[in-house]
Amino acid sequence: MKKSIRFSLCFSAIICMAVTCKKQSSGTPVIPPKDTSLVNLSHLNYLYVPVTFPDGTNAAGVWIYADAPNYNLTPASGEGYTCVDDVSRAALVYLRNSKFSSDTIIQSKAFKLINFLLEMQSSNGYFYNFLLTGNQINTSGATSINNPEWWSWRALQALTEGSTLVKPKNAQLAGKMDDAVNKLVAVIKTDLVNLPQTTKIVSGITVPQWLPAGSGTDQSALLILGLIPYCTSTNDAIMTAYVKKLADGIALMQQGDATHFPYSAFLSWENTWHAYGNDQAYSLLKAGVFLNDTKYTSAGLSEVDNFYPWLLQNGFKASFVVANSGSGVQLSSELSYDQIAYGIRPMVFAAIEAYKVTGLPKYADIAGHLSAWFLGANDASQNMYSVTTGRGYDGLSSTTNINVNSGAESTIEALLTMERVESNPAVKAALDKYKK
């Protein structure tokens, strides 16, 4: 009796297994887990364009504009269709991507963008900015000429940060990157390093005259970010001292304090603050660690502590102008719009760096709150970055209107932000809390 029961049970089990196996083999395929990453490279990949230079070099650029509703690829009128300003930052998106070390497609895109930068360096060491249709370099436009300008500092940052990442994968390319950096550093030493540390008064505000564009703390911040990796790898004492000189100029442009407008903000140029490229606090936090000097760290933290919460409470600004008639710094004029990704990303980076330097959770919270601007926590309560498509939208124009074009800068700055947020779980948690 027991034997027959055991036989029946075993036979039934076999039948069930057979039926189960048949169901699995003939059913719908297993769906892989959904990718929940904030970083979607789809639109940047769409903007990415192969470039062959007249000398035969295979490189790549990124289209400057993509206009809604069909996101037609569009050049910048009279300037070119791709530029060092955007290509440098696009290269950083791919270089910083979590899959860079293993994904050969991402590596290839980064390498070809770097080739573009190398081709755009001029004989004097500085970089041209725009490439015209037909792949001729724009050598004469005011926004493209090979002078000490934004686009050379952007190339510097991409090349110095990228060199150590590229070297294990492509030593020959890394060598070319280092050569280009050395060429640029040589002309910086000639043109900028020895400028006298003089000042002038603009509307009652004391401003430095030894920075790029005289008092350009925005450009100086970018220069610092490019020079720190270079100095770290070369121990160049002259350029290390220049990082300190730049940091001193930025610190001089800090106005107000915890209770007085503009609440420890760093002016961008002369008596003006603008949101775009506002990397001053971030660069000083990096410089404080690099130079082992807490005065720069403290200055950077002050902007994060005082100015960023004020913006979060009172609304983001596009720019403002200040003056000091003797009774303190006063607001002369301000613009609330357009608000752009390139104005938000620098503050997110600074707040994350403050969190990294101090370990204090409040900075992760500020960073997450700021980054939530991309996901609906803004004046229009609309997403300025689409996780679904990877598009960064070109601007917030009012409480009711956004510019849904999606060009290179907006998309790249959004992606740089999301990469940094996603690599910091506490910041990501704060973003999830504040997003709409």
Side-chain angles (χ1 to χ4, degrees):
M1 182 69 176
K2 286 182 181 178
K3 274 188 178 181
S4 63
I5 292 173
R6 281 201 300 268
F7 177 81
S8 298
L9 290 172
C10 289
F11 183 78
S12 298
I14 291 169
I15 294 297
C16 288
M17 288 173 64
V19 170
T20 303
C21 290
K22 187 175 182 180
K23 276 187 177 179
Q24 288 178 339
S25 63
S26 63
T28 56
V30 176
I31 300 173
K34 185 178 179 181
D35 184 1
T36 57
S37 174
L38 293 171
V39 180
N40 183 343
L41 297 177
S42 297
H43 190 62
L44 181 58
N45 291 340
Y46 168 69
L47 297 173
Y48 176 95
V49 55
V51 173
T52 301
F53 280 88
D55 66 1
T57 297
N58 291 318
V62 286
W63 279 90
I64 296 169
Y65 297 125
D67 294 342
N70 297 321
Y71 294 97
N72 298 319
L73 299 171
T74 309
S77 179
E79 294 178 309
Y81 75 97
T82 187
C83 64
V84 167
D85 263 337
D86 292 335
V87 170
S88 299
R89 287 179 281 182
L92 288 175
V93 171
Y94 291 114
L95 289 165
R96 293 174 182 173
N97 189 273
S98 60
K99 299 176 182 178
F100 172 77
S101 63
S102 59
D103 191 320
T104 56
I105 294 175
I106 288 177
Q107 290 169 18
S108 176
K109 289 183 184 297
F111 297 163
K112 287 181 179 177
L113 292 169
I114 290 167
N115 278 339
F116 179 94
L117 301 180
L118 298 177
E119 286 291 310
M120 297 295 284
Q121 188 171 31
S122 73
S123 59
N124 73 2
Y126 295 119
F127 289 73
Y128 295 112
N129 194 15
F130 284 93
L131 192 67
L132 298 164
T133 303
N135 293 341
Q136 295 296 318
I137 296 173
N138 182 342
T139 60
S140 59
T143 57
S144 189
I145 196 168
N146 56 337
N147 278 342
E149 283 283 359
W150 284 95
W151 42 96
S152 286
W153 318 145
R154 289 202 204 291
L156 176 69
Q157 184 186 20
L159 294 172
T160 58
E161 182 177 328
S163 178
T164 55
L165 297 169
V166 170
K167 191 172 184 179
K169 307 293 181 183
N170 190 333
Q172 183 179 15
L173 180 59
K176 292 179 180 179
M177 294 165 70
D178 292 341
D179 290 343
V181 168
N182 291 335
K183 189 175 178 180
L184 178 57
V185 167
V187 71
I188 291 172
K189 286 180 177 178
T190 299
D191 292 351
L192 300 178
V193 165
N194 295 314
L195 291 175
Q197 289 182 251
T198 57
T199 62
K200 68 177 183 178
I201 305 297
V202 179
S203 297
I205 307 293
T206 300
V207 304
Q209 291 188 287
W210 66 87
L211 304 180
S215 59
T217 63
D218 43 13
Q219 291 192 49
S220 299
L222 187 54
L223 249 180
I224 287 174
L225 295 173
L227 286 173
I228 286 176
Y230 165 80
C231 293
T232 301
S233 64
T234 64
N235 295 313
D236 186 326
I238 292 174
M239 297 311 288
T240 297
Y242 185 54
V243 169
K244 184 179 185 304
K245 189 174 180 179
L246 291 169
D248 287 337
I250 294 173
L252 182 61
M253 292 280 275
Q254 189 166 41
Q255 300 295 321
D257 54 32
T259 57
H260 298 90
F261 181 84
Y263 308 107
S264 306
F266 296 99
L267 299 179
S268 306
W269 181 75
E270 295 198 342
N271 62 326
T272 299
W273 175 89
H274 53 69
Y276 71 83
N278 187 36
D279 273 308
Q280 295 92 325
Y282 176 51
S283 71
L284 287 195
L285 288 166
K286 299 288 282 188
V289 173
F290 170 67
L291 298 169
N292 193 27
D293 193 328
T294 57
K295 73 180 178 184
Y296 302 119
T297 305
S298 296
L301 290 175
S302 291
E303 181 175 276
V304 180
D305 281 331
N306 304 323
F307 185 50
Y308 296 178
W310 181 81
L311 288 174
L312 287 166
Q313 183 174 353
N314 294 277
F316 291 112
K317 308 296 179 185
S319 65
F320 57 75
V321 178
V322 297
N324 188 342
S325 59
S327 57
V329 177
Q330 303 293 324
L331 179 67
S332 297
S333 63
E334 69 173 0
L335 292 173
S336 294
Y337 306 104
D338 287 344
Q339 295 172 19
I340 59 174
Y342 185 28
I344 304 299
R345 190 275 307 155
M347 295 191 290
V348 176
F349 272 37
I352 291 176
E353 191 65 21
Y355 176 56
K356 178 180 175 182
V357 169
T358 67
L360 295 176
K362 70 174 183 177
Y363 294 119
D365 189 76
I366 291 173
H369 200 169
L370 290 165
S371 61
W373 179 89
F374 288 96
L375 299 181
N378 54 56
D379 290 352
S381 298
Q382 296 188 54
N383 282 3
M384 295 302 296
Y385 167 72
S386 168
V387 178
T388 304
T389 66
R391 294 182 188 125
Y393 299 120
D394 278 354
L396 179 64
S397 305
S398 70
T399 57
T400 59
N401 185 57
I402 69 170
N403 179 348
V404 293
N405 294 337
S406 183
E409 181 177 89
S410 299
T411 294
I412 290 164
E413 292 286 338
L415 290 171
L416 289 170
T417 303
M418 295 305 150
E419 285 180 336
R420 192 63 59 93
V421 167
E422 200 159 69
S423 66
N424 290 272
V427 179
K428 173 61 165 57
L431 167 62
D432 289 338
K433 178 174 70 173
Y434 290 110
K435 70 182 182 182
K436 296 296 177 67

